PDB file of all heavy atoms in Angstrom:
ATOM      1  N   PRO A 540      68.680  39.828 -77.085  1.00 89.00           N
ATOM      2  CA  PRO A 540      68.310  38.605 -77.818  1.00 89.00           C
ATOM      3  C   PRO A 540      69.162  38.454 -79.066  1.00 89.00           C
ATOM      4  O   PRO A 540      69.473  39.429 -79.753  1.00 89.00           O
ATOM      5  CB  PRO A 540      66.832  38.848 -78.182  1.00 89.00           C
ATOM      6  CG  PRO A 540      66.683  40.336 -78.176  1.00 89.00           C
ATOM      7  CD  PRO A 540      67.621  40.866 -77.146  1.00 89.00           C
ATOM      8  N   HIS A 541      69.563  37.229 -79.343  1.00 86.00           N
ATOM      9  CA  HIS A 541      70.382  36.934 -80.513  1.00 86.00           C
ATOM     10  C   HIS A 541      69.499  36.386 -81.634  1.00 86.00           C
ATOM     11  O   HIS A 541      68.460  35.768 -81.394  1.00 86.00           O
ATOM     12  CB  HIS A 541      71.477  35.925 -80.171  1.00 86.00           C
ATOM     13  CG  HIS A 541      72.501  36.476 -79.223  1.00 86.00           C
ATOM     14  ND1 HIS A 541      72.240  36.690 -77.886  1.00 86.00           N
ATOM     15  CD2 HIS A 541      73.798  36.844 -79.425  1.00 86.00           C
ATOM     16  CE1 HIS A 541      73.326  37.169 -77.302  1.00 86.00           C
ATOM     17  NE2 HIS A 541      74.281  37.271 -78.210  1.00 86.00           N
ATOM     18  N   ILE A 542      69.941  36.628 -82.854  1.00 83.00           N
ATOM     19  CA  ILE A 542      69.150  36.254 -84.028  1.00 83.00           C
ATOM     20  C   ILE A 542      69.474  34.809 -84.415  1.00 83.00           C
ATOM     21  O   ILE A 542      70.630  34.495 -84.742  1.00 83.00           O
ATOM     22  CB  ILE A 542      69.463  37.194 -85.199  1.00 83.00           C
ATOM     23  CG1 ILE A 542      69.172  38.646 -84.799  1.00 83.00           C
ATOM     24  CG2 ILE A 542      68.646  36.815 -86.426  1.00 83.00           C
ATOM     25  CD1 ILE A 542      69.566  39.649 -85.867  1.00 83.00           C
ATOM     26  N   PRO A 543      68.467  33.901 -84.377  1.00 83.00           N
ATOM     27  CA  PRO A 543      68.733  32.507 -84.789  1.00 83.00           C
ATOM     28  C   PRO A 543      68.782  32.377 -86.310  1.00 83.00           C
ATOM     29  O   PRO A 543      67.953  32.935 -87.030  1.00 83.00           O
ATOM     30  CB  PRO A 543      67.535  31.747 -84.204  1.00 83.00           C
ATOM     31  CG  PRO A 543      66.450  32.764 -84.102  1.00 83.00           C
ATOM     32  CD  PRO A 543      67.101  34.082 -83.849  1.00 83.00           C
ATOM     33  N   LEU A 544      69.754  31.663 -86.782  1.00 83.00           N
ATOM     34  CA  LEU A 544      69.954  31.452 -88.217  1.00 83.00           C
ATOM     35  C   LEU A 544      70.023  29.947 -88.505  1.00 83.00           C
ATOM     36  O   LEU A 544      70.276  29.136 -87.612  1.00 83.00           O
ATOM     37  CB  LEU A 544      71.251  32.126 -88.698  1.00 83.00           C
ATOM     38  CG  LEU A 544      71.388  33.628 -88.457  1.00 83.00           C
ATOM     39  CD1 LEU A 544      72.763  34.105 -88.897  1.00 83.00           C
ATOM     40  CD2 LEU A 544      70.297  34.412 -89.181  1.00 83.00           C
ATOM     41  N   ILE A 545      69.789  29.620 -89.757  1.00 82.00           N
ATOM     42  CA  ILE A 545      69.893  28.236 -90.218  1.00 82.00           C
ATOM     43  C   ILE A 545      70.425  28.254 -91.650  1.00 82.00           C
ATOM     44  O   ILE A 545      70.162  29.196 -92.404  1.00 82.00           O
ATOM     45  CB  ILE A 545      68.532  27.510 -90.133  1.00 82.00           C
ATOM     46  CG1 ILE A 545      68.709  26.012 -90.313  1.00 82.00           C
ATOM     47  CG2 ILE A 545      67.533  28.094 -91.105  1.00 82.00           C
ATOM     48  CD1 ILE A 545      67.442  25.217 -89.999  1.00 82.00           C
ATOM     49  N   ALA A 546      71.165  27.270 -92.007  1.00 80.00           N
ATOM     50  CA  ALA A 546      71.820  27.255 -93.326  1.00 80.00           C
ATOM     51  C   ALA A 546      71.626  25.907 -94.000  1.00 80.00           C
ATOM     52  O   ALA A 546      71.407  24.878 -93.343  1.00 80.00           O
ATOM     53  CB  ALA A 546      73.308  27.565 -93.164  1.00 80.00           C
ATOM     54  N   ASP A 547      71.668  25.929 -95.314  1.00 77.00           N
ATOM     55  CA  ASP A 547      71.719  24.698 -96.094  1.00 77.00           C
ATOM     56  C   ASP A 547      73.111  24.602 -96.714  1.00 77.00           C
ATOM     57  O   ASP A 547      74.067  25.222 -96.237  1.00 77.00           O
ATOM     58  CB  ASP A 547      70.603  24.667 -97.148  1.00 77.00           C
ATOM     59  CG  ASP A 547      70.603  25.897 -98.038  1.00 77.00           C
ATOM     60  OD1 ASP A 547      71.644  26.617 -98.064  1.00 77.00           O
ATOM     61  OD2 ASP A 547      69.594  26.157 -98.706  1.00 77.00           O
ATOM     62  N   THR A 548      73.211  23.884 -97.767  1.00 70.00           N
ATOM     63  CA  THR A 548      74.538  23.716 -98.371  1.00 70.00           C
ATOM     64  C   THR A 548      75.000  24.942 -99.152  1.00 70.00           C
ATOM     65  O   THR A 548      76.180  25.033 -99.508  1.00 70.00           O
ATOM     66  CB  THR A 548      74.506  22.506 -99.309  1.00 70.00           C
ATOM     67  OG1 THR A 548      73.475  22.698-100.287  1.00 70.00           O
ATOM     68  CG2 THR A 548      74.255  21.230 -98.531  1.00 70.00           C
ATOM     69  N   ARG A 549      74.089  25.920 -99.355  1.00 75.00           N
ATOM     70  CA  ARG A 549      74.459  27.072-100.193  1.00 75.00           C
ATOM     71  C   ARG A 549      74.225  28.421 -99.510  1.00 75.00           C
ATOM     72  O   ARG A 549      75.034  29.326 -99.663  1.00 75.00           O
ATOM     73  CB  ARG A 549      73.673  27.033-101.514  1.00 75.00           C
ATOM     74  CG  ARG A 549      73.943  25.800-102.363  1.00 75.00           C
ATOM     75  CD  ARG A 549      73.133  25.831-103.638  1.00 75.00           C
ATOM     76  NE  ARG A 549      73.446  27.016-104.448  1.00 75.00           N
ATOM     77  CZ  ARG A 549      72.832  27.318-105.576  1.00 75.00           C
ATOM     78  NH1 ARG A 549      71.866  26.512-106.039  1.00 75.00           N
ATOM     79  NH2 ARG A 549      73.173  28.374-106.258  1.00 75.00           N
ATOM     80  N   ASN A 550      73.126  28.584 -98.772  1.00 78.00           N
ATOM     81  CA  ASN A 550      72.736  29.894 -98.234  1.00 78.00           C
ATOM     82  C   ASN A 550      72.439  29.800 -96.746  1.00 78.00           C
ATOM     83  O   ASN A 550      72.252  28.703 -96.186  1.00 78.00           O
ATOM     84  CB  ASN A 550      71.501  30.437 -98.977  1.00 78.00           C
ATOM     85  CG  ASN A 550      71.752  30.657-100.455  1.00 78.00           C
ATOM     86  OD1 ASN A 550      72.783  31.219-100.825  1.00 78.00           O
ATOM     87  ND2 ASN A 550      70.825  30.210-101.300  1.00 78.00           N
ATOM     88  N   VAL A 551      72.357  30.976 -96.157  1.00 77.00           N
ATOM     89  CA  VAL A 551      72.015  31.124 -94.730  1.00 77.00           C
ATOM     90  C   VAL A 551      70.699  31.877 -94.658  1.00 77.00           C
ATOM     91  O   VAL A 551      70.510  32.916 -95.325  1.00 77.00           O
ATOM     92  CB  VAL A 551      73.117  31.868 -93.964  1.00 77.00           C
ATOM     93  CG1 VAL A 551      72.731  32.034 -92.492  1.00 77.00           C
ATOM     94  CG2 VAL A 551      74.444  31.157 -94.086  1.00 77.00           C
ATOM     95  N   TYR A 552      69.773  31.420 -93.815  1.00 69.00           N
ATOM     96  CA  TYR A 552      68.443  31.999 -93.718  1.00 69.00           C
ATOM     97  C   TYR A 552      68.128  32.328 -92.258  1.00 69.00           C
ATOM     98  O   TYR A 552      68.726  31.769 -91.328  1.00 69.00           O
ATOM     99  CB  TYR A 552      67.380  31.030 -94.249  1.00 69.00           C
ATOM    100  CG  TYR A 552      67.640  30.540 -95.646  1.00 69.00           C
ATOM    101  CD1 TYR A 552      68.296  29.317 -95.848  1.00 69.00           C
ATOM    102  CD2 TYR A 552      67.218  31.263 -96.754  1.00 69.00           C
ATOM    103  CE1 TYR A 552      68.533  28.854 -97.124  1.00 69.00           C
ATOM    104  CE2 TYR A 552      67.464  30.792 -98.040  1.00 69.00           C
ATOM    105  CZ  TYR A 552      68.109  29.594 -98.222  1.00 69.00           C
ATOM    106  OH  TYR A 552      68.351  29.127 -99.482  1.00 69.00           O
ATOM    107  N   LEU A 553      67.171  33.234 -92.115  1.00 75.00           N
ATOM    108  CA  LEU A 553      66.618  33.498 -90.785  1.00 75.00           C
ATOM    109  C   LEU A 553      65.717  32.324 -90.404  1.00 75.00           C
ATOM    110  O   LEU A 553      64.846  31.918 -91.181  1.00 75.00           O
ATOM    111  CB  LEU A 553      65.808  34.795 -90.780  1.00 75.00           C
ATOM    112  CG  LEU A 553      66.586  36.115 -90.904  1.00 75.00           C
ATOM    113  CD1 LEU A 553      65.612  37.277 -91.061  1.00 75.00           C
ATOM    114  CD2 LEU A 553      67.463  36.333 -89.679  1.00 75.00           C
ATOM    115  N   LYS A 554      65.888  31.821 -89.210  1.00 72.00           N
ATOM    116  CA  LYS A 554      65.036  30.717 -88.782  1.00 72.00           C
ATOM    117  C   LYS A 554      63.619  31.191 -88.539  1.00 72.00           C
ATOM    118  O   LYS A 554      62.654  30.486 -88.838  1.00 72.00           O
ATOM    119  CB  LYS A 554      65.607  30.087 -87.513  1.00 72.00           C
ATOM    120  CG  LYS A 554      64.828  28.875 -87.051  1.00 72.00           C
ATOM    121  CD  LYS A 554      65.451  28.239 -85.831  1.00 72.00           C
ATOM    122  CE  LYS A 554      64.666  27.002 -85.422  1.00 72.00           C
ATOM    123  NZ  LYS A 554      65.256  26.328 -84.230  1.00 72.00           N
ATOM    124  N   ASN A 555      63.487  32.394 -87.991  1.00 73.00           N
ATOM    125  CA  ASN A 555      62.165  32.970 -87.744  1.00 73.00           C
ATOM    126  C   ASN A 555      62.102  34.288 -88.504  1.00 73.00           C
ATOM    127  O   ASN A 555      62.693  35.296 -88.088  1.00 73.00           O
ATOM    128  CB  ASN A 555      61.944  33.195 -86.248  1.00 73.00           C
ATOM    129  CG  ASN A 555      60.538  33.677 -85.938  1.00 73.00           C
ATOM    130  OD1 ASN A 555      59.663  33.729 -86.823  1.00 73.00           O
ATOM    131  ND2 ASN A 555      60.301  34.026 -84.686  1.00 73.00           N
ATOM    132  N   THR A 556      61.425  34.297 -89.638  1.00 68.00           N
ATOM    133  CA  THR A 556      61.385  35.498 -90.484  1.00 68.00           C
ATOM    134  C   THR A 556      60.609  36.633 -89.846  1.00 68.00           C
ATOM    135  O   THR A 556      60.769  37.791 -90.237  1.00 68.00           O
ATOM    136  CB  THR A 556      60.747  35.149 -91.837  1.00 68.00           C
ATOM    137  OG1 THR A 556      59.441  34.583 -91.637  1.00 68.00           O
ATOM    138  CG2 THR A 556      61.621  34.149 -92.587  1.00 68.00           C
ATOM    139  N   GLU A 557      59.744  36.342 -88.898  1.00 66.00           N
ATOM    140  CA  GLU A 557      58.972  37.382 -88.222  1.00 66.00           C
ATOM    141  C   GLU A 557      59.527  37.713 -86.833  1.00 66.00           C
ATOM    142  O   GLU A 557      58.858  38.346 -86.031  1.00 66.00           O
ATOM    143  CB  GLU A 557      57.511  36.938 -88.095  1.00 66.00           C
ATOM    144  CG  GLU A 557      56.826  36.731 -89.445  1.00 66.00           C
ATOM    145  CD  GLU A 557      55.374  36.303 -89.285  1.00 66.00           C
ATOM    146  OE1 GLU A 557      54.949  36.117 -88.109  1.00 66.00           O
ATOM    147  OE2 GLU A 557      54.675  36.166 -90.298  1.00 66.00           O
ATOM    148  N   GLY A 558      60.726  37.289 -86.582  1.00 66.00           N
ATOM    149  CA  GLY A 558      61.321  37.560 -85.278  1.00 66.00           C
ATOM    150  C   GLY A 558      61.713  39.014 -85.116  1.00 66.00           C
ATOM    151  O   GLY A 558      61.953  39.745 -86.088  1.00 66.00           O
ATOM    152  N   GLU A 559      61.768  39.462 -83.872  1.00 76.00           N
ATOM    153  CA  GLU A 559      62.106  40.855 -83.542  1.00 76.00           C
ATOM    154  C   GLU A 559      63.393  40.913 -82.720  1.00 76.00           C
ATOM    155  O   GLU A 559      63.563  41.792 -81.892  1.00 76.00           O
ATOM    156  CB  GLU A 559      60.952  41.501 -82.779  1.00 76.00           C
ATOM    157  CG  GLU A 559      59.663  41.570 -83.581  1.00 76.00           C
ATOM    158  CD  GLU A 559      58.521  42.208 -82.797  1.00 76.00           C
ATOM    159  OE1 GLU A 559      58.739  42.459 -81.589  1.00 76.00           O
ATOM    160  OE2 GLU A 559      57.459  42.452 -83.383  1.00 76.00           O
ATOM    161  N   GLU A 560      64.268  39.974 -82.948  1.00 77.00           N
ATOM    162  CA  GLU A 560      65.505  39.951 -82.172  1.00 77.00           C
ATOM    163  C   GLU A 560      66.394  41.158 -82.478  1.00 77.00           C
ATOM    164  O   GLU A 560      67.060  41.694 -81.580  1.00 77.00           O
ATOM    165  CB  GLU A 560      66.282  38.661 -82.451  1.00 77.00           C
ATOM    166  CG  GLU A 560      65.668  37.409 -81.847  1.00 77.00           C
ATOM    167  CD  GLU A 560      64.540  36.850 -82.707  1.00 77.00           C
ATOM    168  OE1 GLU A 560      64.344  37.372 -83.828  1.00 77.00           O
ATOM    169  OE2 GLU A 560      63.883  35.890 -82.268  1.00 77.00           O
ATOM    170  N   ALA A 561      66.416  41.610 -83.754  1.00 78.00           N
ATOM    171  CA  ALA A 561      67.245  42.767 -84.101  1.00 78.00           C
ATOM    172  C   ALA A 561      66.754  44.033 -83.396  1.00 78.00           C
ATOM    173  O   ALA A 561      67.542  44.819 -82.853  1.00 78.00           O
ATOM    174  CB  ALA A 561      67.250  42.964 -85.615  1.00 78.00           C
ATOM    175  N   ILE A 562      65.434  44.219 -83.380  1.00 88.00           N
ATOM    176  CA  ILE A 562      64.882  45.375 -82.674  1.00 88.00           C
ATOM    177  C   ILE A 562      65.110  45.243 -81.180  1.00 88.00           C
ATOM    178  O   ILE A 562      65.395  46.222 -80.480  1.00 88.00           O
ATOM    179  CB  ILE A 562      63.386  45.519 -83.011  1.00 88.00           C
ATOM    180  CG1 ILE A 562      63.188  45.725 -84.514  1.00 88.00           C
ATOM    181  CG2 ILE A 562      62.769  46.668 -82.234  1.00 88.00           C
ATOM    182  CD1 ILE A 562      61.753  45.806 -84.942  1.00 88.00           C
ATOM    183  N   GLY A 563      64.999  44.024 -80.674  1.00 89.00           N
ATOM    184  CA  GLY A 563      65.239  43.811 -79.249  1.00 89.00           C
ATOM    185  C   GLY A 563      66.667  44.113 -78.845  1.00 89.00           C
ATOM    186  O   GLY A 563      66.924  44.632 -77.755  1.00 89.00           O
ATOM    187  N   ALA A 564      67.620  43.815 -79.722  1.00 91.00           N
ATOM    188  CA  ALA A 564      69.022  44.127 -79.414  1.00 91.00           C
ATOM    189  C   ALA A 564      69.238  45.629 -79.343  1.00 91.00           C
ATOM    190  O   ALA A 564      69.930  46.134 -78.444  1.00 91.00           O
ATOM    191  CB  ALA A 564      69.923  43.508 -80.480  1.00 91.00           C
ATOM    192  N   ASP A 565      68.627  46.372 -80.271  1.00 93.00           N
ATOM    193  CA  ASP A 565      68.755  47.826 -80.230  1.00 93.00           C
ATOM    194  C   ASP A 565      68.080  48.410 -78.996  1.00 93.00           C
ATOM    195  O   ASP A 565      68.612  49.315 -78.338  1.00 93.00           O
ATOM    196  CB  ASP A 565      68.149  48.439 -81.490  1.00 93.00           C
ATOM    197  CG  ASP A 565      69.006  48.192 -82.721  1.00 93.00           C
ATOM    198  OD1 ASP A 565      70.048  47.514 -82.578  1.00 93.00           O
ATOM    199  OD2 ASP A 565      68.641  48.661 -83.807  1.00 93.00           O
ATOM    200  N   GLY A 566      66.884  47.890 -78.681  1.00 94.00           N
ATOM    201  CA  GLY A 566      66.177  48.392 -77.507  1.00 94.00           C
ATOM    202  C   GLY A 566      66.925  48.107 -76.213  1.00 94.00           C
ATOM    203  O   GLY A 566      66.965  48.946 -75.302  1.00 94.00           O
ATOM    204  N   THR A 567      67.528  46.937 -76.125  1.00 95.00           N
ATOM    205  CA  THR A 567      68.311  46.609 -74.937  1.00 95.00           C
ATOM    206  C   THR A 567      69.512  47.541 -74.791  1.00 95.00           C
ATOM    207  O   THR A 567      69.835  48.007 -73.697  1.00 95.00           O
ATOM    208  CB  THR A 567      68.784  45.157 -75.009  1.00 95.00           C
ATOM    209  OG1 THR A 567      67.658  44.296 -75.165  1.00 95.00           O
ATOM    210  CG2 THR A 567      69.548  44.779 -73.757  1.00 95.00           C
ATOM    211  N   PHE A 568      70.161  47.841 -75.910  1.00 96.00           N
ATOM    212  CA  PHE A 568      71.299  48.757 -75.865  1.00 96.00           C
ATOM    213  C   PHE A 568      70.872  50.151 -75.434  1.00 96.00           C
ATOM    214  O   PHE A 568      71.579  50.821 -74.665  1.00 96.00           O
ATOM    215  CB  PHE A 568      71.969  48.810 -77.241  1.00 96.00           C
ATOM    216  CG  PHE A 568      73.260  49.570 -77.257  1.00 96.00           C
ATOM    217  CD1 PHE A 568      74.461  48.929 -76.968  1.00 96.00           C
ATOM    218  CD2 PHE A 568      73.295  50.924 -77.553  1.00 96.00           C
ATOM    219  CE1 PHE A 568      75.655  49.628 -76.972  1.00 96.00           C
ATOM    220  CE2 PHE A 568      74.478  51.628 -77.565  1.00 96.00           C
ATOM    221  CZ  PHE A 568      75.666  50.971 -77.269  1.00 96.00           C
ATOM    222  N   VAL A 569      69.733  50.622 -75.911  1.00 96.00           N
ATOM    223  CA  VAL A 569      69.250  51.959 -75.535  1.00 96.00           C
ATOM    224  C   VAL A 569      68.950  52.025 -74.042  1.00 96.00           C
ATOM    225  O   VAL A 569      69.341  52.983 -73.349  1.00 96.00           O
ATOM    226  CB  VAL A 569      68.010  52.316 -76.371  1.00 96.00           C
ATOM    227  CG1 VAL A 569      67.319  53.552 -75.810  1.00 96.00           C
ATOM    228  CG2 VAL A 569      68.395  52.548 -77.829  1.00 96.00           C
ATOM    229  N   LEU A 570      68.252  51.018 -73.519  1.00 97.00           N
ATOM    230  CA  LEU A 570      67.907  51.027 -72.094  1.00 97.00           C
ATOM    231  C   LEU A 570      69.156  50.934 -71.216  1.00 97.00           C
ATOM    232  O   LEU A 570      69.264  51.624 -70.194  1.00 97.00           O
ATOM    233  CB  LEU A 570      66.945  49.884 -71.793  1.00 97.00           C
ATOM    234  CG  LEU A 570      65.549  49.981 -72.437  1.00 97.00           C
ATOM    235  CD1 LEU A 570      64.716  48.753 -72.081  1.00 97.00           C
ATOM    236  CD2 LEU A 570      64.842  51.250 -71.988  1.00 97.00           C
ATOM    237  N   LEU A 571      70.086  50.101 -71.614  1.00 97.00           N
ATOM    238  CA  LEU A 571      71.321  49.985 -70.837  1.00 97.00           C
ATOM    239  C   LEU A 571      72.134  51.276 -70.901  1.00 97.00           C
ATOM    240  O   LEU A 571      72.718  51.708 -69.892  1.00 97.00           O
ATOM    241  CB  LEU A 571      72.149  48.816 -71.349  1.00 97.00           C
ATOM    242  CG  LEU A 571      71.597  47.417 -71.048  1.00 97.00           C
ATOM    243  CD1 LEU A 571      72.464  46.347 -71.713  1.00 97.00           C
ATOM    244  CD2 LEU A 571      71.517  47.171 -69.551  1.00 97.00           C
ATOM    245  N   SER A 572      72.195  51.912 -72.062  1.00 97.00           N
ATOM    246  CA  SER A 572      72.919  53.179 -72.180  1.00 97.00           C
ATOM    247  C   SER A 572      72.279  54.255 -71.325  1.00 97.00           C
ATOM    248  O   SER A 572      72.979  55.068 -70.693  1.00 97.00           O
ATOM    249  CB  SER A 572      72.959  53.623 -73.645  1.00 97.00           C
ATOM    250  OG  SER A 572      73.642  52.684 -74.444  1.00 97.00           O
ATOM    251  N   LEU A 573      70.957  54.277 -71.284  1.00 97.00           N
ATOM    252  CA  LEU A 573      70.261  55.238 -70.437  1.00 97.00           C
ATOM    253  C   LEU A 573      70.598  55.014 -68.961  1.00 97.00           C
ATOM    254  O   LEU A 573      70.877  55.967 -68.210  1.00 97.00           O
ATOM    255  CB  LEU A 573      68.754  55.124 -70.669  1.00 97.00           C
ATOM    256  CG  LEU A 573      67.847  56.070 -69.869  1.00 97.00           C
ATOM    257  CD1 LEU A 573      68.150  57.515 -70.225  1.00 97.00           C
ATOM    258  CD2 LEU A 573      66.380  55.753 -70.126  1.00 97.00           C
ATOM    259  N   ALA A 574      70.582  53.758 -68.536  1.00 97.00           N
ATOM    260  CA  ALA A 574      70.905  53.451 -67.142  1.00 97.00           C
ATOM    261  C   ALA A 574      72.362  53.784 -66.821  1.00 97.00           C
ATOM    262  O   ALA A 574      72.663  54.364 -65.757  1.00 97.00           O
ATOM    263  CB  ALA A 574      70.634  51.970 -66.861  1.00 97.00           C
ATOM    264  N   PHE A 575      73.276  53.471 -67.730  1.00 97.00           N
ATOM    265  CA  PHE A 575      74.691  53.782 -67.493  1.00 97.00           C
ATOM    266  C   PHE A 575      74.924  55.287 -67.450  1.00 97.00           C
ATOM    267  O   PHE A 575      75.748  55.776 -66.666  1.00 97.00           O
ATOM    268  CB  PHE A 575      75.550  53.130 -68.568  1.00 97.00           C
ATOM    269  CG  PHE A 575      76.009  51.749 -68.232  1.00 97.00           C
ATOM    270  CD1 PHE A 575      75.120  50.673 -68.276  1.00 97.00           C
ATOM    271  CD2 PHE A 575      77.312  51.495 -67.854  1.00 97.00           C
ATOM    272  CE1 PHE A 575      75.525  49.398 -67.964  1.00 97.00           C
ATOM    273  CE2 PHE A 575      77.731  50.211 -67.541  1.00 97.00           C
ATOM    274  CZ  PHE A 575      76.833  49.147 -67.586  1.00 97.00           C
TER     275      PHE A 575
END
């Protein structure tokens, strides 16, 4: 899963502050590495 972001004229923010996309990316990598 990729992390959705949104920006205004000055800063970039997380679109979903309670999202678990970062943990999901790590978990996907671990499972794929185990299978490989």
Side-chain angles (χ1 to χ4, degrees):
H541 293 73
I542 302 175
L544 303 176
I545 193 170
D547 54 17
T548 57
R549 299 180 60 183
N550 298 314
V551 179
Y552 306 95
L553 289 173
K554 184 178 182 179
N555 185 7
T556 56
E557 298 181 357
E559 298 180 353
E560 288 82 7
I562 300 177
D565 288 2
T567 304
F568 188 88
V569 168
L570 294 178
L571 289 175
S572 298
L573 180 62
F575 270 74

